[in-house]
Amino acid sequence: MRERTGLVLDPYFSATKLEWLLTEGGVAADDDLAFGTVDSWIVWNLTGGAIHVTDPSNASRTMLYDIRERRWSEELLDLFGVPASCLPEVRPSSGRLGTTVEDIPVSGIAGDQQAALFGQACFVPGMAKNTYGTGSFVLMNVGPECPPPAEGLLTTIGWVLADGATTYALEGAIFVTGAAIQWLRDGLGVIGEAAEIGPLAATIGDTEGVYLVPAFTGLGSPWWDPYARGAVVGLTRGTGRAHLARAAVEAMAYQTRDVIEAMSTAAGREPAELRADGGASVMDLLLQLQADQLQVPVARPVVQETTALGAAYLAGLAEGVWSSTDELASQWKLEAAFTPVAPRAVADARHAGWRRAVDRARGWARV
């Protein structure tokens, strides 16, 4: 499974859900059945039902697609009982797919995080980005050759251009980052609005040994432990709202460090910088903590809606708006940069405490 799809066997992906629908969910595998990821449904509707297509980056997330051969895997289709006739045609991420009912070209498709990697202009192997959202997704460009499976990480096709040029990426999927802030707001009432988290966390210099492991739905990369559960450790009578707030912010940086370290080992190179986007990237405190933990600069671009930007770039390449990825790279503009200020020894000591907390959260729900 890892070798063919780049994924781990986990209900997070499509194949097991589709298998359940076909066996237990009452969905008939007849000639009217069409299955795809959200992009294929959008293109279907944009084109008035004229085409059923997807791209390799989205197909990579179904657990049915062979990322090395770049085709649907007959072996996996048979394993999960999925008829090939229901699947979309896989076309390049950049290229004219068709036109809308208003005769507007549809020329770019990419998965959410692969599009963000493209929108961050991470076109050179070793460049990496993190999208800090409800969860966080770290991707590193690893070039045109599919790497071997990496422990704790996903391997994906980043994009395929119209000329067939293919870029692969390593991905770390962190299930809960910004969602922990929502939990502090809605579950505990620690804050009234999500925007309060940064200023509240900044009122103290450190958590005084408090760690929040937000494994509310298990842990993703690099652990892939569905039995992990959320934990708060290190509480004392002196612990207050600010400590919990800062622990939630620090957890984002620690989880990202865990993924980046796994990626650096797998790829044999460390990123020279991390490009950041997503809703939580507006927090200067978070990006400074991240720079300290990684001991490399963290860069926030002017345009932070990088998923939409990446999709636009892919379509624009296909339609001649831009001539090359070099031209696209020149469009990327820096809004703010954060360089490490904490000594490595201090960052390492705090991260070691985090790993102790993770050890206590892992496997908690296992029977």
Side-chain angles (χ1 to χ4, degrees), residues 43 45-48 51 95-108 315 319:
V43 173
N45 282 279
L46 286 173
T47 61
I51 53 174
R96 179 75 69 93
L97 302 165
T99 59
T100 69
V101 291
E102 293 84 10
D103 204 33
I104 299 170
V106 179
S107 303
E319 297 299 328

Side-chain angles (χ1 to χ4, degrees), residues 35-347:
F35 168 81
T37 43
V38 171
D39 62 294
S40 62
W41 180 83
I42 292 173
V43 173
W44 172 273
N45 282 279
L46 286 173
T47 61
I51 53 174
H52 186 210
V53 299
T54 188
D55 89 303
S57 69
N58 283 289
S60 294
R61 282 299 174 270
T62 62
M63 214 155 61
L64 298 170
Y65 188 73
D66 189 321
I67 61 174
R68 297 177 184 275
E69 298 293 331
R70 284 177 41 196
R71 59 179 175 80
W72 297 115
S73 168
E74 294 180 5
E75 182 180 8
L76 292 174
L77 294 180
D78 182 64
L79 176 66
F80 290 103
V82 176
S85 59
C86 77
L87 297 173
E89 178 188 358
V90 182
R91 301 272 291 277
S93 313
S94 178
R96 179 75 69 93
L97 302 165
T99 59
T100 69
V101 291
E102 293 84 10
D103 204 33
I104 299 170
V106 179
S107 303
I109 300 180
D112 185 8
Q113 300 308 318
Q114 294 92 334
L117 187 68
F118 200 83
Q120 284 276 33
C122 292
F123 303 136
V124 177
M127 295 184 72
K129 70 88 193 174
N130 189 17
T131 298
Y132 298 88
T134 304
S136 289
F137 299 88
V138 187
L139 271 75
M140 176 188 285
N141 181 330
V142 292
E145 301 296 328
C146 186
E151 186 65 30
L153 301 173
L154 309 180
T155 310
T156 182
I157 294 178
W159 53 79
V160 177
L161 300 183
D163 62 1
T166 302
T167 293
Y168 288 89
L170 292 175
E171 177 176 348
I174 302 168
F175 294 160
V176 175
T177 50
I181 296 172
Q182 297 171 354
W183 174 69
L184 290 179
R185 180 192 65 196
D186 302 333
L188 298 186
V190 170
I191 53 174
E193 299 291 339
E196 297 174 20
I197 195 77
L200 178 58
T203 61
I204 55 175
D206 63 71
T207 65
E208 299 178 12
V210 175
Y211 291 91
L212 166 61
V213 183
F216 304 139
T217 56
L219 286 170
S221 296
W223 314 109
W224 289 102
D225 182 354
Y227 300 104
R229 289 296 179 267
V232 182
V233 301
L235 298 176
T236 69
R237 283 291 299 271
T239 301
R241 295 170 58 244
H243 295 87
L244 292 175
R246 190 176 181 98
V249 175
E250 288 188 354
M252 299 184 195
Y254 293 137
Q255 291 182 98
T256 301
R257 173 173 170 170
D258 291 341
V259 169
I260 289 289
E261 287 183 345
M263 282 184 176
S264 298
T265 299
R269 57 161 64 93
E270 296 182 1
E273 71 171 7
L274 179 69
R275 294 187 169 183
D277 57 69
S281 69
V282 300
M283 274 193 288
D284 289 356
L285 173 63
L286 168 61
L287 300 194
Q288 185 59 61
L289 289 168
Q290 192 68 81
D292 291 341
Q293 282 298 313
L294 298 179
Q295 293 290 298
V296 299
V298 174
R300 183 170 63 207
V302 170
V303 179
Q304 293 164 38
E305 294 297 335
T306 54
T307 292
L309 186 62
Y313 280 167
L314 288 164
L317 274 180
E319 297 299 328
V321 177
W322 297 283
S323 61
S324 66
T325 53
D326 288 341
E327 185 179 356
L328 290 176
S330 70
Q331 304 293 310
W332 191 92
K333 304 298 181 187
L334 177 69
E335 189 267 327
F338 302 83
T339 56
V341 295
R344 179 178 291 276
V346 173

